[in-house]
Amino acid sequence: MVIKVFTASSSGSTAIKKKQQDVVGFLEALKVDYTQLDIACNEENRMWMRQNVPADKKPTSGIPLPPQIFNDEDYCGDYETFFDAKEDNSIHAFLGLAPPPGSKQAPAEEEEGQEEEAE
């Protein structure tokens, strides 16, 4: 599984640049493997991103802006949903990744599995 972060290297918007830096910096801090795909210099990346953002997740303008995050072909979300997951401490679930060993989410899942075995 590869996390794909669609960004725009030549965005004129400082807000978009800050959001992109926040996503990439956070993934690096967590040591999550990801690929950054530029939509400004690569038309194929731009078209793929636009076609694969679900219709109900597209803004009213119809054109999704970077950063957009995918796990392989599966859409994870945009910056706002990323930020919410980060604040809720559920970034691994947001990305569709297993929580790292020793995290708060990992033991809870193990306990659930043990409860099911006991039944």
Side-chain angles (χ1 to χ4, degrees):
M1 294 190 295
V2 176
I3 301 301
K4 299 176 184 176
V5 180
F6 287 86
T7 60
S9 61
S10 61
S11 174
S13 167
T14 55
I16 288 176
K17 287 179 184 177
K18 286 181 180 180
K19 290 175 181 179
Q20 292 175 163
Q21 289 171 342
D22 187 27
V23 170
V24 168
F26 194 74
L27 293 176
E28 287 176 359
L30 288 179
K31 296 183 172 60
V32 171
D33 288 332
Y34 71 94
T35 301
Q36 193 169 341
L37 300 165
D38 189 4
I39 64 167
C41 298
N42 187 315
E43 185 66 25
E44 285 180 29
N45 287 343
R46 180 181 313 149
M47 295 308 297
W48 191 93
M49 181 195 81
R50 287 183 179 178
Q51 291 170 355
N52 288 282
V53 171
D56 62 325
K57 303 293 183 183
K58 289 183 181 177
T60 52
S61 67
I63 300 172
L65 298 174
Q68 296 290 329
I69 305 159
F70 290 80
N71 183 333
D72 284 327
E73 311 293 314
D74 298 325
Y75 183 68
C76 297
D78 58 7
Y79 179 76
E80 283 69 30
T81 52
F82 169 84
F83 182 81
D84 290 344
K86 187 169 98 170
E87 291 296 305
D88 293 341
N89 240 356
S90 60
I91 200 72
H92 287 88
F94 167 78
L95 295 171
L97 301 174
S103 73
K104 290 181 181 177
Q105 290 102 3
E109 290 176 4
E110 290 171 8
E111 289 172 13
E112 288 174 11
Q114 291 171 357
E115 288 174 9
E116 289 173 5
E117 289 173 10
E119 292 175 5

